[in-house]
Amino acid sequence: MRPFVYARAEAPEEAFAGTEGGHPAFLAGGTTLLDLMKLDVMRPDRVVDINDLAQEYGAIRIDDRGLELGALVRMSEAAEHPDIVAGYPVIAQSLQLAASTQLRNMATLGGNVLQRTRCAYFRDTSWAACNKRVPGSGCAAMDGVNRKHAVLGTSNACIATYPGDFAQALIALDATVDVAGPAGRRALPFAELHRAPGDSPEVETALGPHDLITGFRVPALPWARRSLYLKVRDRESYDFALASAAVAVDVEDGLVREARIALGGVATKPWRARQAEAALKGRTLDENAAETAASAAFADAETRDGNAYKPELGRRTLVRALLQAATMRV
Amino acid sequence: MVMAKTDATAGIGSDVARIDGRLKVTGEARYGSDFAVPNPAYAVFKTSAIARGRIAAIDDGAARSVPGVLDILTYRDVGDEVGEAGFFASGGYAGTTIRPLASDRIWHDGQIVAVVLADSFEAAREAAHRLVVDYAAEPPAAGFDGPGVEEEDAKKDDPAKGDAERALREAAVMVEADYATPTQHHNPIELFTTTCAWTGDRLTIWEPSQNVYGIRNGVAKQLSLDPEQVRVVSPYVGGAFGSRGSLTQRTALIALAAKRLNRPVKLMATRDQGYTIATYRAETRHRVRLGADAQGRLQALSHEGWEVTSRPDSYKVAGTSATTRVYACSNIASEVTILHADRNTPGFMRSPPEVPYVFALESAMDELAVKLGMDPIELRRINDTDVEPVGGKPFTTRSLMKCFDAGAKAFGWSERDPTPGSMRDGDWLVGWGCATTLYPTHIAPATARVTLTPAGKAIVRTAAHDIGTGAYTAIALTAADRLGLPLDRIAVEIGDTNFPPAPVAGGSNTTASVCNVVAKACEQVRGQLASAVTAAGDGPFAGSDPNALILAEGELRGPGNASEAIGDAMARASSGAIEAYAENVPDGLQQKALGQLYQGLPALTGGAQMEDRAQFAFGAEFIEVRVNARTREIRCPRALGVFAAGQIVSRRTAESQLIGGLIWGMSSALHEVTEIDRGAARYYNDDLAEYLIPVNADIGKVEVMILPEDDEQVNALGIKGLGELGNVGTNAAIANAVYHATGVRIRSLPIRIEKLLGDRSA
């Protein structure tokens, strides 16, 4: 860890003060930032503690129009909120199945969606080649250890997996993310927040260096209740997904009216599987339809030696999630 | 000092709470890095980013400019200042012959290339990050299947008998299969720490250790000191599992740094550095061939093993020493080959030879049972034997089939439908598997001093080690038993070279070695007290035969109901304490083994090494796995281990060891693997986020049964060590259960989802 200036923002505008130039970082739960600073991967020269903004950005509101989640809501608060558990199960489950109790008690929702990849070539500075950490240095994962790396949204520059769970739930429910920055406030579809690596894997989101996520809005759409998050991993808890699926389905008279599918553990960013969604529309949600959707979801998968199993596992995960959603009583 | 606080009648075999438990859970127990030293400097290592080559340049300008940095040591500063300690397998102390900071040569990933010393840990860490080391890298060899490895035929005493090749050709049924086990790391929760402080020319080292006399003598040799100048203190150890048995490179470096700074130095190596500055379980491969007649009687057994080691050191575990001695068989062949690669030197890890080799054997036995259409327990029964088959020496005791029968009953084995994939619970395939477990019964020379105070309390001092195993409790129970004192009158002090030597806490020998010598010392104390009171002109024992006096329930007792409280007898017999120092040289070793013990080089004997007998502890392990029919997650909700291990000294900690062993076995079979970047020959997942071990949610019902077993031959107290017995059979039991659940035979550990995705029939 290198020396840095620590500042505490007591009002939203203070969060942006003094952040011109340099490498600022916002500190909320700190569960990613502090790790990466200790590992010398992130070297902010100014750390702005935003925890005092919880008054403004720390609330959960639910009404007929939908769900509003402040960026400083702790993961555990949202995971255990009874109205979220009942009305937005995919959100509650994606949070319950993430990290550990201790981490969920610290980590915030805003920070959660921005957590960095677990790729060890990124997290350990002794590896010379990591385009995400040192642009232009190469990608050691391509021919290295890549069992957990992505098969969707990859590029020649980076195959690092987006590690989170909650983001898939937000995509499945057509959420919007609210952002504040020196230039004012704006909102964008959550699905547009993250970027695939392309030629510049160091740029992970549409946020500017001084932009702060202030909250998320989830519309009360008809498929929110018939939604779930399925996470497949090596161990039962406290583990990142090898493959996961956030699904939300609107079924009427036995036929799928609308479906939302987001995949985790298999892609470089929270991955919306549009072709899979389209493949379900108007069909009975049975094994056959689920298989068709799953095949479509992974049609463009590109694998390496260590992750060649992922399309198959991803397909099975999605089929299982869809069939489980079909049997949900809502 | 740990004082017991438990009931009055506890002794050998009692079920009591761990006597050091309260100190541990309240934070009062002081581990290596907990000891406060005045004004310490902090050391942080910089380790190599390549596996093979040379250091081309070091730029320490930015690092030295970090405020608080005191010095940065590299090979230019240390060179030959740290001498050789010798490789443990060649009669030395060290886990590797690579000397720290000796030259610009890089032997492996994560080798120590600099020690940064600063007033604070934070400054030292920042400077280590700012230190720039440039390398002239050479292409490294990572291990199996890679170019550049050198093969060495490790053949020395490969067990063999009869004509295995011919018997294999003639066998009615044959199984031939290849197995593989991965690199695994111990990851003890307590990191690899060292604190060194000099007082004049005397050095004190605080370091978690399984062999304090080994560190003392090894460091003395490296730094040209008299061992008497070095004290090593390690009263509590936060996990070891073999990783703290041999001397690592760090200790002498920190001692040297403290000398140069004229100030105590503390090192707490990082989690990832623990992967490369200490040892690990070597990657192995196996080819097992079994030939049997139509009834399942083994006609031939051939076990070939390959193990990866470092470039300079010939470390091998050669578990064929165990796998050739499990079942009756007339034709046996074995061979072990080691491969030298650009890796750090592997070393002991809980049941070092047995874990990989018994996985191969017990998987092959299951394959043979399937091929024969035979119940796997019945296959073990038909091949059960009272003599070890290679040398024909009788087992002192062997309760293998008793364990299988008791286990089968408790587990409900008769309900098992042998057809793979036939048992199902909703979306989950259910599989039941079993395997034999065994571990050689070792003992080593040991010494102890027992002091009986005038107040009737006893203090036991010996430089033994409690690496979480319960040694404190076992020692206290032994002394309580032999001195007739309540457990709360016994104090135990261990883990310090100020005490008489005890052997390395390895090979599961501590309970047998130390409890036997403690019992001996207690008997000497009794003898001294008895001699004094019988020689006295008055008192209830005047004129009695001292040998007829016993210590029981806080009293000295003699013929004709004569008795006296121990405290009263002490007051009459002695003006001070009674103290006895005892030595024990076990059967099969010569007296010179004691001298070696004092030098920190304890000789272990037992297992198949005895001239007239074979001594092993056995058990049977039963596992239930569940595999999701679609997505193939593998979970292990139920484990049962049934064991027999002679006299149990401390029942509760013994059961804990076995439960922990089963859980480790699940971890090893389903999770643990150190991933290696094959091109770079570097470890990839070197932290506890990515090196998986089970979490609580992964562990369901774990049951242990210990069957009674009297063994008068292994040692005076009849103790068979069991610390490494629990995790030997589990890998195969789980692989066998996975086969039963899915019909897929996995011969390479760990067993993970991707290995079960080939079958789309779900």
Side-chain angles (χ1 to χ4, degrees), chain A residues 121 126 147 235-236 320, chain B residues 631 635 677 682 693 754:
Chain A
Y121 297 111
S126 73
R147 173 177 185 258
R235 64 183 176 194
E236 184 66 20
R320 185 174 154 196
Chain B
T631 42
R635 302 291 182 252
D677 184 306
R682 302 190 61 200
I693 56 172
E754 63 267 32

Side-chain angles (χ1 to χ4, degrees), chain A residues 239-264:
Chain A
D239 196 7
F240 295 94
L242 296 173
S244 71
V247 299
V249 199
D250 182 13
V251 179
E252 199 176 81
D253 302 329
L255 299 178
V256 175
R257 281 207 333 186
E258 196 72 54
R260 287 289 182 278
I261 297 170
L263 303 175

